[in-house]
Amino acid sequence: MATIHDVAKIAGVNSSTVSRVINGKIKVLEETREKIYAAMKQLDYHPNSAARNLANGRSNAIGIAVDVSNEDAFSNIFFNNSLFAIERIAQEKGYNLILTNVAMQTGNSIEKLILEQKVDGLIIPPSVIDPSLINIIDEFPCVVLGQPKKNYNSLNWVDIDNVQGSKMAVKHLYKQGYSRIAYMCSKKYTSFSKHRVKGYKQALENLQPLVYTTDGTLIHAKQQAESVILSKEHPDAFICNDNITAFGVLKALKEAGLNCPNDVGIVAFDNYPLSEFTEPQLTSIDIDTSILGQQAAELLFKHIEYQNPNQHIILESTLIERESSKRQ
Amino acid sequence: MATIHDVAKIAGVNSSTVSRVINGKIKVLEETREKIYAAMKQLDYHPNSAARNLANGRSNAIGIAVDVSNEDAFSNIFFNNSLFAIERIAQEKGYNLILTNVAMQTGNSIEKLILEQKVDGLIIPPSVIDPSLINIIDEFPCVVLGQPKKNYNSLNWVDIDNVQGSKMAVKHLYKQGYSRIAYMCSKKYTSFSKHRVKGYKQALENLQPLVYTTDGTLIHAKQQAESVILSKEHPDAFICNDNITAFGVLKALKEAGLNCPNDVGIVAFDNYPLSEFTEPQLTSIDIDTSILGQQAAELLFKHIEYQNPNQHIILESTLIERESSKRQ
DNA sequence: AATCATTAGACAACCGATTGCATAAATAAA
DNA sequence: TTTATTTATGCAATCGGTTGTCTAATGATT
């Protein structure tokens, strides 16, 4: 591969001049510029990124960490619109995107990405944050995709307003005449679920909360629902942590001979195309994960290019009323 | 950040010795080794990856290109198990994974990844291959995720046996007593669809093929199906290019008052958890995209670490019989 | 015409690793 | 004891860019 020195030789100038021309850091005679471009073309020159990174101390890459032990893409918010949005913005900025899954770690690669200077910034899920990582991150450009625990609140983060989402769901169900509202939570440990359950409990006010948890699979959601609706005083509405869970609950209701929405109502987080397909169609809390990713990326680049924005962004979610919560 | 020279100074040795100790390329006195490790620890030393890449001419990264203009993660095979599997293997090998979406390209970044030496190998979809890329790839380690066009057949690739999948579907439907089998194709231009349609046509033998295409959305699949089943001589079975399409067709059937499987049978590609949830449960052609990704990654590393394997791998798919193709 | 300012580009150090070669010390062989 | 061999480590070049500083040439100022 041709180097900058080869180009310089052919153009009859010094490599420093070539470098400055490439990076637009100098005024040169039109004639010189043309000779350089001609040489670059002739040699099909492309700057070596490692050399460039070494010289200017940047990697021109951002890292995105995900934490998924389970290959089921449906249940993983990162692997949908967020990731696309982040990739798009990185590309616009001329950055590469390095993807790493911390769940199947052989070393702690987030720390490696920072310490070996492989990335100029990071987008991470709340689940990977711990004191030792915090220690390393310090002022390193970083955005958390989801609200971290309170003691890590000085980090930049972007999140859906999950608390508000749950509250909307509860209020909506109340208004529709449901009174014994349960929460079917699909994944105990994510920050999303935690906040949703929190909002649910707050909105219930003095009533007794009913929270059930599943391992995230449709089957398990169905089983959980089955065991719940057997009792006489079963809930007359479920808020489901995601679409898959809702499908499981719906199926359980059908098999138990209960009508949704008349006997039991459902509101579900996520708003996949499939939620319009079910019978009844699912009332959903729509979270725009594409904007989530976009905001995270923009925050990150603010930090990289300018300074730590020290910002928290909470995105509103909207309730889309469909059939599953509308008694006839 | 501490450099190798800082470590060397503190350990009282030359940086070359530190380098060789780190890379295990030399026998040193136990005493020297200990001094070096102590210094590394003291300074919290981590080698700079750019310098390392520059010096040894490798990037320790592989690139994965995807070609998705549409954010709908459901319809995109890359973003599910394949990507996970690839990431896992890359991590095991100590490589980083650089993700790029060629569909929203501001430059042609696959070529950049190669020419600027940002990656040591590439996994690409068939859609991005063209003569100019071929020209650059030459003997560059590369694996295509999906079978490319015949004239690019010298590339390494991994694919599902889509032709066989369709054939299985047709034969299965015949055996179940269906005779007018249509193919509902969701995305015209992917190599997957092409081979599936091909297999479908071959298995039909002399019968007239009926191929309908959609834009990939559930809604459009439903509309297409509606327009088809109005005619008196409508198909009595559909092979659907993916689960989403099948859901659309199923919905159209229900609304038209046609019973599935008794009036119209369905076999669908993909085997998402949801296919067990529908009523009737979907007979599916299960393709293991996790193994697809794994094989692709393994092939790529063979090329990177050893030599061009010049290999094509075709993975069998299996038909999972459920209710949607079983007349009662 | 003499002086100063500006401009275009060259020189060389530097980024932080790796590695071929050289050398000193230690050990073995004669 | 001298020479040959092995072992442990140092020296310095190199990978391919970037950038601070210097110089020569050109132009402006008085």
Side-chain angles (χ1 to χ4, degrees):
Chain A
M1 295 244 189
T3 72
I4 199 169
H5 304 289
D6 302 328
V7 173
K9 194 176 288 174
I10 290 197
V13 299
N14 188 275
S15 62
S16 62
T17 305
V18 177
S19 172
R20 289 189 244 247
V21 165
I22 290 174
N23 296 295
K25 292 195 176 173
I26 200 185
K27 261 185 294 182
V28 293
L29 291 181
E30 192 51 34
E31 187 195 333
T32 312
R33 174 191 312 281
E34 276 168 14
K35 275 192 298 185
I36 290 175
Y37 279 124
M40 282 169 51
K41 195 160 206 173
Q42 182 189 331
L43 294 172
D44 191 26
Y45 170 72
H46 293 263
N48 177 297
S49 68
R52 200 171 233 187
N53 294 346
L54 177 59
N56 57 33
R58 288 180 296 113
S59 67
N60 276 290
I62 63 170
I64 176 161
V66 297
D67 186 7
V68 282
S69 43
N70 165 329
E71 291 182 335
D72 183 0
F74 282 11
S75 56
N76 186 345
I77 192 149
F78 284 106
F79 275 79
N80 305 354
N81 308 346
S82 292
L83 184 57
F84 276 104
I86 293 167
E87 199 279 336
R88 179 172 52 75
I89 290 177
Q91 201 171 118
E92 283 169 10
K93 298 274 187 185
Y95 277 69
N96 284 117
L97 187 68
I98 293 182
L99 179 68
T100 187
N101 184 1
V102 299
M104 34 190 59
Q105 214 67 323
T106 12
N108 40 3
S109 80
I110 292 189
E111 317 196 344
K112 261 188 151 181
L113 288 177
I114 301 176
L115 293 170
E116 298 182 356
Q117 300 169 60
K118 292 183 169 181
V119 297
D120 296 333
L122 271 176
I123 294 180
I124 59 174
S127 64
V128 306
I129 305 174
D130 62 23
S132 93
L133 184 65
I134 287 290
N135 207 32
I136 290 170
I137 284 183
D138 193 32
E139 271 302 290
F140 189 82
C142 180
V143 172
V144 187
L145 207 42
Q147 181 176 355
K149 287 192 194 131
K150 277 212 192 71
N151 36 341
Y152 302 129
N153 212 33
S154 66
L155 295 166
N156 297 292
W157 54 261
V158 181
D159 202 357
I160 298 297
D161 193 343
N162 286 297
V163 173
Q164 171 239 8
S166 277
K167 286 185 178 172
M168 278 196 319
V170 171
K171 279 182 193 148
H172 169 76
L173 286 166
Y174 276 154
K175 210 165 67 188
Q176 301 294 321
Y178 299 98
S179 57
R180 294 187 307 287
I181 305 172
Y183 194 95
M184 187 66 77
C185 185
S186 53
K187 286 180 301 177
K188 272 186 196 169
Y189 300 105
T190 71
S191 74
F192 276 24
S193 313
K194 230 181 57 192
H195 290 110
R196 289 174 187 179
V197 169
K198 184 174 161 195
Y200 158 75
K201 287 181 179 170
Q202 285 180 5
L204 283 185
E205 293 171 7
N206 298 333
L207 295 176
Q208 185 63 27
L210 291 165
V211 178
Y212 306 97
T213 57
T214 77
D215 62 10
T217 61
L218 200 156
I219 296 297
H220 196 208
K222 178 169 168 249
Q223 289 168 350
Q224 285 288 72
E226 276 164 358
S227 71
V228 172
I229 56 184
L230 286 181
S231 73
K232 191 146 191 201
E233 281 293 301
H234 66 72
D236 65 356
F238 286 93
I239 300 175
C240 297
N241 203 50
D242 55 48
N243 270 206
I244 296 291
T245 303
F247 298 146
V249 172
L250 202 48
K251 184 140 200 178
L253 292 177
K254 280 192 189 172
E255 290 186 3
L258 291 169
N259 178 275
C260 174
N262 290 334
D263 299 323
V264 178
I266 293 181
V267 175
F269 278 90
D270 294 347
N271 181 31
Y272 292 157
L274 283 171
S275 59
E276 293 189 79
F277 167 75
T278 53
E279 282 154 16
Q281 296 183 355
L282 286 174
T283 294
S284 302
I285 300 178
D286 187 30
I287 61 179
D288 192 332
T289 50
S290 171
I291 291 189
L292 190 71
Q294 185 188 320
Q295 299 268 8
E298 283 171 359
L299 214 49
L300 183 63
F301 280 109
K302 233 181 249 173
H303 197 158
I304 292 175
E305 295 171 351
Y306 182 54
Q307 62 174 41
N308 191 341
N310 267 314
Q311 208 175 334
H312 304 157
I313 297 178
I314 298 184
L315 299 172
E316 297 269 304
S317 46
T318 55
L319 185 108
I320 297 177
E321 289 189 42
R322 296 208 186 85
E323 299 164 354
S324 68
S325 62
K326 202 176 288 176
R327 278 183 166 144
Q328 278 134 8
Chain B
M1 294 244 190
T3 72
I4 198 169
H5 303 291
D6 301 330
V7 173
K9 194 175 289 172
I10 290 198
V13 299
N14 187 275
S15 61
S16 61
T17 305
V18 178
S19 171
R20 289 188 248 249
V21 165
I22 290 174
N23 296 293
K25 291 194 177 173
I26 200 185
K27 263 185 293 183
V28 293
L29 291 180
E30 192 51 35
E31 187 197 334
T32 312
R33 174 191 313 281
E34 276 168 15
K35 276 192 297 184
I36 290 175
Y37 279 125
M40 282 171 47
K41 194 159 205 171
Q42 181 188 332
L43 295 172
D44 191 24
Y45 169 72
H46 293 263
N48 177 296
S49 67
R52 200 170 231 188
N53 294 345
L54 177 60
N56 58 31
R58 288 179 297 112
S59 66
N60 277 291
I62 63 170
I64 177 161
V66 298
D67 186 7
V68 282
S69 43
N70 165 330
E71 291 182 336
D72 182 0
F74 281 11
S75 56
N76 186 346
I77 192 148
F78 285 105
F79 275 79
N80 305 354
N81 308 346
S82 293
L83 185 57
F84 277 104
I86 293 167
E87 200 278 337
R88 179 173 51 76
I89 291 177
Q91 201 171 120
E92 283 169 10
K93 297 274 186 183
Y95 277 69
N96 284 117
L97 188 67
I98 294 183
L99 179 67
T100 186
N101 183 1
V102 298
M104 33 190 60
Q105 215 65 323
T106 12
N108 41 2
S109 81
I110 292 189
E111 317 196 344
K112 262 187 151 181
L113 288 176
I114 301 176
L115 294 170
E116 298 183 356
Q117 300 170 59
K118 293 183 167 181
V119 297
D120 297 333
L122 271 176
I123 294 178
I124 58 175
S127 63
V128 307
I129 304 173
D130 61 23
S132 92
L133 182 65
I134 287 291
N135 207 31
I136 290 170
I137 284 182
D138 192 31
E139 271 301 292
F140 190 82
C142 180
V143 172
V144 187
L145 208 42
Q147 182 176 355
K149 288 193 194 130
K150 278 212 193 71
N151 36 340
Y152 302 130
N153 212 33
S154 65
L155 295 167
N156 297 291
W157 54 262
V158 181
D159 202 357
I160 299 296
D161 193 342
N162 286 297
V163 172
Q164 171 240 8
S166 278
K167 285 185 179 173
M168 278 196 319
V170 171
K171 279 182 193 148
H172 169 75
L173 286 167
Y174 276 154
K175 211 165 66 186
Q176 300 294 322
Y178 299 98
S179 58
R180 294 186 308 286
I181 304 171
Y183 194 96
M184 187 67 75
C185 185
S186 54
K187 287 179 299 179
K188 269 187 196 168
Y189 301 105
T190 71
S191 74
F192 276 27
S193 312
K194 231 181 57 192
H195 290 111
R196 289 173 187 180
V197 170
K198 185 174 159 194
Y200 158 74
K201 287 182 178 170
Q202 285 180 5
L204 284 185
E205 293 172 7
N206 298 332
L207 295 176
Q208 185 64 26
L210 291 166
V211 178
Y212 306 96
T213 58
T214 77
D215 62 10
T217 61
L218 199 158
I219 296 296
H220 196 209
K222 178 169 168 250
Q223 289 168 349
Q224 285 287 72
E226 277 163 357
S227 71
V228 171
I229 56 184
L230 286 180
S231 74
K232 190 143 193 208
E233 281 292 302
H234 65 71
D236 64 356
F238 286 92
I239 300 174
C240 297
N241 203 50
D242 55 48
N243 270 206
I244 296 291
T245 303
F247 298 146
V249 171
L250 202 49
K251 184 139 201 182
L253 293 177
K254 280 192 188 169
E255 290 186 3
L258 290 169
N259 177 273
C260 176
N262 290 334
D263 298 324
V264 178
I266 293 182
V267 176
F269 278 91
D270 294 347
N271 181 32
Y272 293 157
L274 283 171
S275 60
E276 293 189 80
F277 167 75
T278 53
E279 284 156 13
Q281 295 183 355
L282 285 176
T283 294
S284 302
I285 300 178
D286 187 30
I287 60 180
D288 191 333
T289 51
S290 171
I291 291 189
L292 190 71
Q294 185 188 319
Q295 298 269 7
E298 283 171 0
L299 215 49
L300 182 63
F301 281 109
K302 234 181 248 174
H303 197 158
I304 291 175
E305 295 171 352
Y306 182 54
Q307 62 175 40
N308 190 340
N310 267 314
Q311 207 175 335
H312 304 156
I313 296 178
I314 298 184
L315 301 171
E316 297 269 305
S317 44
T318 55
L319 185 107
I320 296 176
E321 289 189 43
R322 297 205 187 86
E323 299 165 354
S324 68
S325 62
K326 202 177 287 175
R327 277 184 166 141
Q328 280 135 7

